[in-house]
């Protein structure tokens, strides 16, 4: 089943394709004989170079939405396009490949591999994808330097501060040049000053690289610095001021 991607008209005649488009997406969970409809009718477009804050109370469905966007879960209804590819009905193998190459994830906790250096952690997803070691090393070095970590290449996670660890996690997330960056409370574990710094690095990277970012956060101050803010209300995405 492959529907062609609907075109979205922006301004007069210009037609631009979003990096990711969710249309009428549904997700429900079945537990103990009951059905919980978490997302009833989600439509959301993510655009290249734009960061979107997802702000909603706990339990509203933020993680569910991020998992669907990241192809970790399948929608029960609706469609999710990555570029012009409809993904809902792709096979597991294709979805895994797409996830590895087109999607980057950043979580609240860095989840870096403790026995490897910053450089090796960033190289890892590239090596898994089949990129050669010298190329992966060069790219990772550049990326870490861009994020202000040129002096931390050979440090292991335990030898770095929380903010540095999280910047390495951001570098790892974008190491394969994904189209979409998904982040779940990426600065939730950091003190305000460090959160500010890490957040600045993330938004700057989004703009510079043309990534489309969706960032779940409780931090309104940081959310205000993003290009757009959305929330989840009754299982739908609603734009905020
Ligand atoms: P948020 O990230 O906004 O806190 P979640 O997406 O984690 O919200 O969860 C939304 C709702 O769906 C919650 O009520 C949660 O208990 C429920 N939920 C999430 N995942 C599952 C699951 N795998 N099985 C059953 N219920 C789930």
């Amino acid at each position: 089943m492959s529907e062609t991607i609907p075109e979205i008209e922006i301004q007069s005649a210009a037609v631009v394709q979003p990096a990711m488009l969710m249309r009428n997406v549904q997700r429900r969970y079945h537990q103990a004989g009951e059905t919980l409809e978490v997302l009833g009718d989600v439509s959301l477009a993510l655009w290249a170079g734009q960061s979107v804050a997802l702000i909603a109370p706990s339990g509203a469905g933020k993680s569910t939405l991020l998992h669907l966007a990241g192809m970790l879960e399948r929608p029960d209804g609706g469609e999710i396009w990555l570029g012009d590819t409809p993904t809902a009905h792709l096979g597991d193998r294709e979805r895994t490949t797409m996830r590895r190459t087109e999607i980057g994830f950043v979580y609240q906790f860095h989840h870096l591999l403790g026995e490897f250096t910053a450089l090796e952690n960033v190289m890892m997803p590239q090596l898994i994808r089949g990129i050669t070691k010298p190329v992966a090393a060069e790219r990772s070095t550049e990326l870490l330097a861009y994020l202000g970590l040129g002096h931390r290449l050979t440090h292991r996670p335990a030898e770095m501060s929380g903010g540095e660890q999280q910047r390495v996690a951001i570098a790892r997330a974008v190491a394969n040049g994904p189209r979409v960056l998904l982040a779940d409370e990426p600065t939730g574990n950091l003190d305000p000053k460090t959160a500010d710094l890490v957040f600045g690095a993330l938004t700057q990277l989004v703009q510079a690289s043309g990534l489309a970012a969706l960032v779940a956060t409780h931090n309104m101050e940081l959310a205000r610095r993003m290009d757009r803010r959305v929330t989840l209300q009754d299982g739908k995405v609603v734009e905020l001021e």
Side-chain angles (χ1 to χ4, degrees), residues 27-31 36-39 56-67 73 184 216 218 232:
R27 184 72 177 120
R28 52 190 86 90
Y29 296 113
H30 306 280
Q31 218 172 33
L36 174 69
E37 186 174 83
V38 180
L39 303 177
S58 203
K62 297 183 298 297
S63 300
T64 303
L65 183 61
L66 290 171
H67 290 166
E73 291 183 31
D184 201 348
H218 280 112
L232 281 164

Side-chain angles (χ1 to χ4, degrees), residues 34-160:
E34 301 218 350
T35 301
L36 174 69
E37 186 174 83
V38 180
L39 303 177
D41 185 13
V42 161
S43 291
L44 175 66
L46 301 177
W47 303 93
Q50 192 180 61
S51 52
V52 180
L54 174 60
I55 313 146
S58 203
K62 297 183 298 297
S63 300
T64 303
L65 183 61
L66 290 171
H67 290 166
L68 288 166
M71 287 190 276
L72 293 164
E73 291 183 31
R74 276 180 203 273
D76 296 305
E79 185 56 273
I80 301 172
W81 283 268
L82 193 53
D84 53 11
T85 308
T87 63
H89 299 277
L90 285 180
D92 286 341
R93 197 184 283 187
E94 284 164 294
R95 285 169 60 86
T96 301
T97 304
M98 275 197 132
R99 186 185 315 125
R100 279 193 190 141
T101 55
E102 308 261 23
I103 313 263
F105 290 96
V106 181
Y107 301 95
Q108 184 171 357
F109 300 99
H110 58 77
H111 296 301
L112 296 170
L113 298 171
E115 64 273 35
F116 293 97
T117 65
L119 185 65
E120 288 164 343
N121 267 284
V122 179
M123 286 171 67
M124 204 77 70
Q126 298 173 75
L127 299 178
I128 291 171
R129 195 189 162 182
I131 291 167
T132 62
K133 235 175 165 176
V135 173
E138 193 184 336
R139 274 200 205 172
S140 305
T141 303
E142 277 175 14
L143 199 49
L144 285 164
Y146 178 82
L147 288 165
L149 294 169
H151 59 313
R152 291 284 182 267
L153 300 181
T154 57
H155 287 234
R156 292 195 166 77
E159 299 159 351
M160 289 184 280

